[in-house]
Every structure is written in C-alpha cells, then in structure tokens.
Amino acid sequence: MEQSNHLNSLSPAELRLLIRQEDPRISTTTGLANGYQQANVVILPNHLANDFEVFCRRNPAPLPLLYRSQSGETSCPPLARNADIRTDISQYYVYEAGCLVKSVSSLQSYSAEPRTASEQQAAHHGSWSDMVCFYLGCSFGFEGQLKKAGIPVRNVEQGTNVSMYRTAVPCIPAGVFSCPLVVTMRPVPAGMLDAAVEVTHLNPLAHGAPVHIGDPALLGIQDLSRPNYGGQVQLQPGDVPVFWACGVTAIEAIISSKPSLAFSHSPGCMFLTDIPDSSPSSPTPPPSEGSTDHNRELIPFCFLVSHNPLLYSLASQRAVAKIRQLETIIGEDPGQRGIGALFVQDELLRSCLALSHAFSVAITTGFPTHYMHSPPDETDGPPGAIAMATMLLSLGKRVTMVTDSRALEMNRAIIDEAVRTGVLKTAIPLVTFEDSGPDSALHFLCHHGDPSKPRYDHLVAIERTGRAGDGNYYNMRGVNIKHLVDPIDDLFIAAKDIPGIITTGIGDGGNELGMGKLKEKVETMMPNGSLIACDVPADYAITAGVSNWGGYAVVCGLYLLHTCPSHQRYRKKGLGLENTIPQEQLQDWTANLPSVDKEESILSTLVRFGIRSGKTGHLAMEVDGLTFHPTHSDIITRLLEVTLGCTTPNL
C-alpha cells in the first residue's frame, strides 16, 4: 500500500518539516517527494573526511557525492533551503567504534552542551563541531521517473522498503575505508528493462543505470528473500531482478572503518532534497560531455546474454550501432555461397557481450576439408582464432586452444611462429580432447567433473567442422571426413547442461560446429544442406562470408565494448573512475586489433606449413578461393574504420 495521498502531494520542504516534528505517518521515504532527489547521509569525524571523499570518487555508482559539509555545518544550501541535518531525517543510526549502538529520531543532543551521563559519554567520542556530513544520491530519487515511464515500482506497490543486499563485490578502497558493495533490488518486467535502464541512466545522481540484471548469485547474493537491509520485495510473474548500486554501501564503510563516533540515516529513511530528479547534472556540474545527440548515443540498451545463470548486459546505442555495422560487413558474400540466408541479427553483439563478461575462454578451429592432402586443413579458421585469442589475452582473459590430436604439433608450431613474428604476444596453451568415456566432456570442461566448477565460461568454435545429424562430418562437397576429426562437438553438447558456460559458433556454410542453431535454414537454403548441416548448436551462431571475418569482427566488437563507458561501468559494477581508460591500456587494445599486416603474416605462415585455401585447394595467399589482396585486406580495413572511426589500413 502506498503512502497516503496527502503525503504524496507535499513538497520536500513540507515533508522535512513534518519529519522534524516526528510525524508518525512518515517511517520510510520511499514513494515520497516524487520528482525530487533523496539522499543517503553519512556523518563522520573530520579526520576521516578526506579519505571518505576519495572513497566516494573511486566508487561513484554507490556513492554519488551530492554535497560535503564544512565541519559542524548543519545545513546544506546547495541541496535544500532551511534544512537541519540533525532533525530532518525520520530515523538515524548511531555508531561507536563501527558498531551500531542505537537508532534515534534526532541528533540534536549530540550538538548540545553535554548534561547527562550518556551525553557526556557521547561527547567523549567527539563533538558535533568535529563532524562532517556527506550527502549521497539515493535510488528513491528515480522511482518517480520509473512510474512516469509506466514501469511498476514493486516496493511502493507492496508498501514496503526497498530490498538491500550486501554483495561479494569489493569496493575500491581509500584510506581506512574498504567494504563490499551494497545494492538495491527492484523487480522489473522483462519487456520494460530497456526503459528502466534509460530512465535511471539519465539520473546519475540517483546511482544511474543498474550494475547488474539477472541472477543474484552472480553478485554473491544467495537468497533474495533475506535482504540485509530494508524489506522483502516480491517478484511478480515475468519480472527480472534488477540491481542498482546503493548508498547503504556507506554504512558498510562505517562498520569496517570503526570510527569512534559516526552517524547515518536508517536505510530507507532518507534526507529529502529540493533538487529535481530530472536534473541532468550534479549541483557542481561536471565539464560538458558534448551535444545532446552524443549523450543520447551513450544511453544503454539491455540484452539477454545467458539464461543459466540469468544475465543481461548493457551497451551504449553507439557501440551497438557500430557492432551491427561490423555484422553487416562480414555478412558480405563475394564467394556467392548464399550465407546471407542464415543471418540472424545481433548474434555477433550477444556473443561479444558474453565474451566481455567471461574469464576463461576455450577456442577451437580446424576443418580438414582437403582429405587428400597432408595437412588436410584449410586457411580459414586459424587466423580468426589467433586474432580472437590475441584480443582476449589483452583484455585479461585466460585463453586455451583446443585442437585435433592429429594436428597438435602443427598448431603448436603455428602458434610459436605467431609469437616469433609478433602476431601473438605469448604462447597459448594448446590441448586436445578425446572421448574416453561417458563423462569425458564433463571432466574436460569442469574441475573434477563438478558442474559447479567449470574451467571455462565460454567456448568458441570458428570454422570448426561440425557433426551432422547422422554422426558424420562433411565438407561442403558432401565428402565424409570423420576419420580426421576428434569429437570436440561433445564439449558443446555437454556445455548446454553446465550453468555458466556459453558457446559461440562462427561459420560460413552451415556445416561448422555451432551452426546447429540454424539447422533448419541450412537444410533448406544451403547446397547439400540436408546432408552436411551441423546438428550441434551453439548459444550464438555468427555467420560470415568467410569465417575468419567473423573472428575479426568479434575482436573489433570486444574493443568497442571495452571502450564503451556504459558497458564498462556495468561490467565493473559502477566501481572505479568513470570514463577513464589508461592510455597504455588503450594503446595495447588498439595494437591487438587485427591489421592487414598481421593477417597477411599469419596467412603466409599457414601457407608455409602447407595449409591450403578451402574452396580451391590452392597453396596460395587466399582463403576460400578469395585472394588476400584485395578481398580480405579490404574487409579488415573496413572493420577497422568502423571500430576506430578513421581510415587505418595498417595499424
């Protein structure tokens, strides 16, 4: 049940007056002062104030700093007129040595001359004149905007305080302050996620966009029915749990830093400001970020990345548009194979988002189409695999390559050569998989065969021969090449039943591992489709005119996401300095993009090892019958132009 209509119609100043008079109708401030920002409040001894301000700057999503008072100051002129922080919150918490000792409805006794024994004891810990007040943005400040957008605010509907949870995500420390991130959870209907993200993104003073959407266990929250602070909010059918950074993080900071005396608001009992919730900037505006159009480009879109565990991710409109441009470029079909018939929009984007959240990635490639030659492999696949491995390593991911036992030594030599020529910075672990029993795939993918302990969280197959419905493996001409293939498909099949492992397949004909997701299209629209179609699906099936191009596009997509402020903020849970990428790191990512020179180098290495072009069998500088210059070099150049926004044929 919502607060009474009378209270809902009052201004923040009128509500502060009622709170000052200890009006019993006001317990929490959820649903009150719609249209205005609310504030978390933390009051600390002066000697800790500078450290705490740095702590706020380093953790801007949970601790958006609205105002820092002078020592002993009871008012906050930039936020509210005629306010008194000692009386204008309905309930305060009092801490001594980091322990919550009591809750009170006023702090006036702490600023008066001590008369009673308890007041003398309080004065012993410090006087009000030594205290500094910090006012921090609150998510109650965006609830009115959510309602205006037609998005249900379940905690207000259910007449309860919002649910708040301590996570396993550590904030970035500063001085004595170090604590876990606290989040609020609001259930949002799945069809309204984009609207909820946009509304809150535009209100950075109230914690901005969500920091996590999906399974609470990914934040270390084991039971939504047991919030650490606030009330229990029930999800309705079709709702998704959405988590915003929360200013109660500051209370955790008090508890961990153990100041002799400190105060805070009681969670849910906020300070009501006179600042409109549509305010585009803080009371002290930051430097302009550019035009309105540019700012709209930064608004995030929300995409489902994983069903098990449930995970959504965010990326700005600008990054999404560019990745869709990449997808269009790689969908070109100069070899006239008809690959456009298999296209599904945003498979590239969703795969890149999943890879961005990954920690450990296994990549497999190898299509022994030339069964009459030794080696039987083709030049499509390994260059794209090495390009992806290079960028993933640069982004701090663990990378493992999985290959056929017959090709182990050759692939090891190719990787060593790539390191020697500078295409790869370091050697990549190279492993094989063989079927040695019913649980072979499970033991390969998970530590001790335990599905709760996966070694990898993403498997990528690029131009990897895929198992057909009859159990055989076919090249595009319909020749069975099963005798040259290890059962790496079993890993993709097993991964479907292991929570936390996502799979991607990249192909250009429909007979590649992962293309089972598109099997019906392959069977009806591709030559020999009913025979050759791969039967093993991946979560994401990226199609391209040449599979290598799909690998290059993944690399460019990852670069775009890691330079996208909206995505990086979400990936880092709103912690760390916003919109700042160290120049050295940016240079490293840029250097690890594919380039014409690097891809020409790796192709020449493959040719030296006797690896042939897929379509023609030529031992020449071509892939799938298309010469490196001008076809492949042109695609690489255009991908880079989209990614970097300039003409960069040779990075």
Side-chain angles (χ1 to χ4, degrees), residues 62 253 286 499 636:
I636 294 164

Side-chain angles (χ1 to χ4, degrees), residues 589-611:
W589 295 345
T590 305
N592 284 292
L593 286 165
S595 71
V596 171
D597 285 349
K598 283 193 292 185
E599 300 316 313
E600 190 169 22
S601 171
I602 196 69
L603 180 57
S604 66
T605 296
L606 298 181
V607 172
R608 286 201 305 277
F609 278 88
I611 297 173

Side-chain angles (χ1 to χ4, degrees), residues 213-369:
I213 303 173
D215 189 342
L218 295 173
L219 292 175
I221 300 168
Q222 300 307 319
D223 187 351
L224 278 183
S225 70
R226 300 177 64 187
N228 300 102
Y229 302 93
Q232 182 184 348
V233 181
Q234 300 289 340
L235 277 76
Q236 303 302 308
D239 282 352
V240 174
V242 182
F243 299 86
W244 281 268
C246 177
V248 172
T249 301
I251 290 178
E252 292 287 324
I254 290 174
I255 293 169
S256 67
S257 61
K258 299 179 172 57
S260 58
L261 178 68
F263 310 104
S264 77
H265 69 291
S266 171
C269 305
M270 318 309 293
F271 177 76
L272 304 176
T273 80
D274 298 333
I275 306 296
D277 64 11
S278 57
S279 174
S281 59
S282 61
T284 306
S288 171
E289 292 187 15
S291 69
T292 302
D293 287 344
H294 173 74
N295 290 337
R296 286 211 58 87
E297 283 187 343
L298 298 180
I299 292 174
F301 285 143
C302 181
F303 293 90
L304 177 62
V305 169
S306 166
H307 289 281
N308 187 17
L310 185 65
L311 175 65
Y312 290 78
S313 191
L314 305 183
S316 70
Q317 295 184 17
R318 179 177 182 273
V320 169
K322 282 182 169 286
I323 292 172
R324 286 174 175 165
Q325 283 181 266
L326 300 176
E327 195 170 51
T328 299
I329 292 170
I330 65 170
E332 294 178 11
D333 189 13
Q336 298 182 327
R337 304 178 78 169
I339 195 65
L342 306 184
F343 173 75
V344 178
Q345 188 181 38
D346 290 338
E347 294 289 281
L348 173 63
L349 172 61
R350 293 175 192 273
S351 176
C352 288
L353 286 167
L355 283 165
S356 179
H357 287 278
F359 295 95
S360 179
V361 181
I363 302 173
T364 185
T365 189
F367 205 121
T369 189

Side-chain angles (χ1 to χ4, degrees), residues 160 335 538 600 619:
T160 186
E600 190 169 22
L619 192 60

Side-chain angles (χ1 to χ4, degrees), residues 1-18:
M1 190 170 70
E2 299 193 17
Q3 300 264 18
S4 73
N5 289 334
H6 172 65
L7 292 178
N8 286 345
S9 66
L10 297 180
S11 70
E14 291 168 326
L15 289 164
R16 288 197 301 271
L17 185 57
L18 291 179

